[in-house]
Amino acid sequence: MHRSVPRFAASLAAAALVGSMPAPAAAQAPHPELGRNLAATCANCHGTGGVSAGVTASLAGTPKADLLAKMQDFKAGRRPGTIMPQLAKGYTDPQIESLAAWFAAQKAPQ
Amino acid sequence: MKTMRRDFLKVSGAAALAAALPGCATTGGGSAGRVVVVGGGYGGATAAKYLRMWSNGGVDVTLVEPNAQFVSCPISNLVLGGSKTIADVTVSYDNLVKRHGVKLVKDTAVGVDPDKRTVTLASGQVLAYDRLILSPGIDFMYEQLKVLESADAQARVLHSWKAGPQTVALRRQLEAMPNGGVYAVSIPVAPYRCPPGPYERACQVAWYFKQQKPKSKVLILDGNPDVTSKAGLFKKAWAEEYKGIVEYRPNHVLTDVDVRTLTAKFETSDDVKADVLNVLPPQRAGTIARAAGVVTANNRWCEVDFLSFESVKVKNVHVLGDAIQIAPGMPKSGHMANQHAKVCAAAVLELLAGRAPSPTPVLTNTCYSFITDKDVVHVASVHQYDADKKTMVAVAGAGGLSPGMSALEGTYAFAWAKNIWADTLA
């Protein structure tokens, strides 16, 4: 929770800069909370913030390269699974990059 | 729309700068905005939690919900089968209050004034809002089945399509039914809440009969021309796992019910008399949506801007969950409602700070159906925002079904329930 204070403030500042730029440039910049928002689509099965309450894997604190490799393997059909091979195909490569970076930046559950 | 967005961006520059001034972003007293959320189901509870969490307590959130506890529709068919109890699918609202600082008001919203930005509750209390989020679920269109309008009729011919006392009551009817009896379930023409739910229910009742009352029958009286979700998987289960127990009859649009004799009547087919008659009436957005003026599609559902889930008609009012007019391939499910809520919460925080919402929302759906008490099948999908079409589009090639039922997916289904309940309420 504590880490989200500077994050929230930083995103406000970033958004302020983006907002004062001409519209076309603003449209191309990734949204400051893109990683957080994308990661939230995983929370139904992997827990809020990637901290799982069940047998599903926790994602918080997973090294970015590991998560990236897993997602890309699911997406390419190289890694077997039930739902994940089907869901991974729905995300673009930049989106996978973005959510993997966000989970990697979170504290791993104890 | 384009002009509006450009103007909005110009304004948002100044607003964002103002918001970034020291002291404004981190105050906990609710100066960052007031949000009222109506409905504490998968959509509303998730929205309330995420608004508090993502604003670090900066946004004031009031959740209006008449029920004392959250009772999950997903997994509740297992209560009918007898492998779970209603307590197993009931979750407290306490964490929303204690952990997240959501103000919980146990009441029913009865009116909305979009000009004054106020919500009136049944008690007479009036709540002011900057943004209103309606997650009203569904209500039943008894005007199409007038015979079921009375409380007495509804107590005898149950819907059990809102988990809670009706779920327990239907289980009691099934327990009281003699071996050799007929349980019949009537399914309305789509769209309705939880497309695979009625077929899962048929499986769960059949599972119970197979264990306890093997001479009994499950009759599925479907208003649709075919099974609306996971058709192959369900039909296989009925032909194999529940051979001789489940019978599926398509094109059975219910027109009338004889409540005394438990007889269902149809547009074209013969009457069906049952020992336990379970009718899922046609559905529309929950009643408060009408009062708010956000029902825009077929006098039933609420069209929204998928970037923010704001009503296309009423400004500052957002709608989530089963009540919305869905884009193609987007089921009315609890999982989806939870996903709507997070997109909406993110967007509302941006809008309160005078900025545009993220232009690239993503939604997923994962829906598990229990064939037995532990064997499960799934359907999954991913939906990306299409800026040209201004709607959510199911990603081609992504998503899909289980190859067949498995106990492994049963394990995942229970883990899903645990996690989504925590994600929504803890």
Side-chain angles (χ1 to χ4, degrees):
Chain A
M1 273 313 261
H2 278 280
R3 63 191 313 149
S4 65
V5 178
R7 190 184 300 281
F8 189 61
S11 73
L12 280 172
L17 285 171
V18 170
S20 57
M21 278 192 270
Q28 284 164 12
H31 190 272
E33 297 293 0
L34 184 66
R36 182 201 71 179
N37 293 348
L38 286 168
T41 67
C42 311
N44 306 47
C45 299
H46 293 277
T48 302
V51 178
S52 177
V55 298
T56 326
S58 282
L59 304 176
T62 306
K64 185 182 168 189
D66 290 3
L67 208 49
L68 214 52
K70 267 186 198 163
M71 283 293 282
Q72 288 298 349
D73 284 350
F74 277 134
K75 192 176 174 180
R78 291 187 295 264
R79 187 182 169 93
T82 55
I83 278 195
M84 281 313 298
Q86 298 173 353
L87 291 181
K89 290 183 179 72
Y91 292 83
T92 66
D93 289 345
Q95 285 172 341
I96 290 173
E97 180 93 20
S98 179
L99 65 87
W102 191 87
F103 280 122
Q106 308 307 304
K107 205 174 155 193
Q110 297 304 307
Chain B
M1 221 23 211
K2 274 222 169 87
T3 330
M4 271 180 64
R5 181 129 316 143
R6 249 199 318 276
D7 291 347
F8 183 78
L9 277 170
K10 265 186 239 159
V11 176
S12 77
L17 278 172
L21 289 173
C24 291
T26 52
T27 48
S31 62
R34 289 167 303 178
V35 179
V36 174
V37 182
V38 173
Y42 279 98
T46 304
K49 168 181 162 174
Y50 271 78
L51 281 166
R52 292 289 298 169
M53 193 173 76
W54 280 347
S55 70
N56 195 43
V59 171
D60 185 275
V61 178
T62 302
L63 175 63
V64 180
E65 165 60 45
N67 292 319
Q69 290 172 299
F70 172 97
V71 186
S72 174
C73 281
I75 314 291
S76 72
N77 278 331
L78 276 65
V79 177
L80 303 178
S83 63
K84 293 283 175 196
T85 67
I86 199 76
D88 294 329
V89 299
T90 301
V91 186
S92 165
Y93 285 115
D94 284 357
N95 279 328
L96 287 183
V97 177
K98 289 179 188 158
R99 195 176 289 171
H100 299 287
V102 172
K103 293 171 183 166
L104 183 63
V105 177
K106 191 172 176 294
D107 207 335
T108 303
V110 293
V112 175
D113 186 330
D115 297 323
K116 288 185 186 154
R117 294 197 199 181
T118 56
V119 183
T120 305
L121 309 184
S123 65
Q125 190 183 350
V126 176
L127 301 171
Y129 65 81
D130 296 313
R131 292 270 163 184
L132 174 63
I133 299 176
L134 300 178
S135 193
I138 49 125
D139 272 317
F140 300 113
M141 300 167 75
Y142 286 120
E143 63 270 24
Q144 292 186 11
L145 274 174
K146 284 199 175 295
V147 68
L148 295 183
E149 268 177 337
S150 75
D152 285 351
Q154 288 173 29
R156 184 160 160 82
V157 179
L158 301 164
H159 55 76
S160 307
W161 215 235
K162 297 181 181 188
Q166 283 250 339
T167 313
V168 176
L170 182 53
R171 172 65 191 176
R172 290 211 184 102
Q173 287 188 352
L174 292 167
E175 284 171 349
M177 192 192 86
N179 186 10
V182 172
Y183 161 79
V185 56
S186 161
I187 306 172
V189 174
Y192 57 87
R193 161 179 281 180
C194 188
Y199 311 112
E200 182 196 57
R201 174 169 293 185
C203 289
Q204 287 304 304
V205 174
W207 181 79
Y208 168 59
F209 288 172
K210 195 175 171 180
Q211 322 289 316
Q212 307 281 335
K213 296 174 180 173
K215 291 183 200 157
S216 307
K217 295 270 178 286
V218 172
L219 256 182
I220 305 169
L221 307 165
D222 198 340
N224 298 285
D226 198 357
V227 174
T228 61
S229 176
K230 304 173 187 162
L233 292 163
F234 281 122
K235 285 178 180 171
K236 187 172 154 64
W238 301 333
E240 294 173 9
E241 190 70 26
Y242 300 120
K243 188 174 164 56
I245 298 177
V246 174
E247 185 186 331
Y248 178 74
R249 296 185 189 170
N251 297 312
H252 275 59
V253 179
L254 188 72
T255 53
D256 199 6
V257 175
D258 184 326
V259 175
R260 193 181 59 81
T261 60
L262 297 179
T263 303
K265 299 166 190 255
F266 306 93
E267 263 174 12
T268 50
S269 310
D270 292 342
D271 294 357
V272 172
K273 191 179 173 312
D275 297 284
V276 174
L277 181 59
N278 178 197
V279 171
L280 284 42
Q283 297 151 30
R284 55 171 169 76
T287 304
I288 187 64
R290 290 194 160 180
V294 292
V295 176
T296 54
N298 301 324
N299 203 23
R300 288 176 79 180
W301 311 112
C302 311
E303 292 164 283
V304 297
D305 173 353
F306 286 109
L307 293 180
S308 62
F309 287 81
E310 187 169 10
S311 163
V312 297
K313 193 167 168 215
V314 183
K315 271 192 79 65
N316 306 309
V317 179
H318 303 248
V319 189
L320 308 177
D322 295 343
I324 70 161
Q325 170 71 11
I326 49 175
M330 263 174 79
K332 294 184 182 296
S333 73
H335 187 108
M336 265 283 172
N338 166 291
Q339 296 261 323
H340 298 170
K342 289 181 258 190
V343 170
C344 176
V348 163
L349 292 178
E350 300 296 340
L351 292 165
L352 286 173
R355 299 184 302 258
S358 166
T360 55
V362 179
L363 303 170
T364 67
N365 187 60
T366 296
C367 168
Y368 291 105
S369 296
F370 281 77
I371 302 297
T372 69
D373 61 329
K374 59 179 189 296
D375 299 295
V376 163
V377 295
H378 83 253
V379 62
S381 54
V382 182
H383 308 258
Q384 298 264 4
Y385 187 74
D386 185 314
D388 294 329
K389 294 178 185 157
K390 290 191 163 56
T391 189
M392 301 302 297
V393 174
V395 179
L401 296 152
S402 308
M405 72 175 189
S406 74
L408 174 67
E409 291 220 83
T411 307
Y412 290 159
F414 286 125
W416 169 87
K418 234 175 154 176
N419 269 312
I420 196 169
W421 293 343
D423 191 44
T424 302
L425 297 150

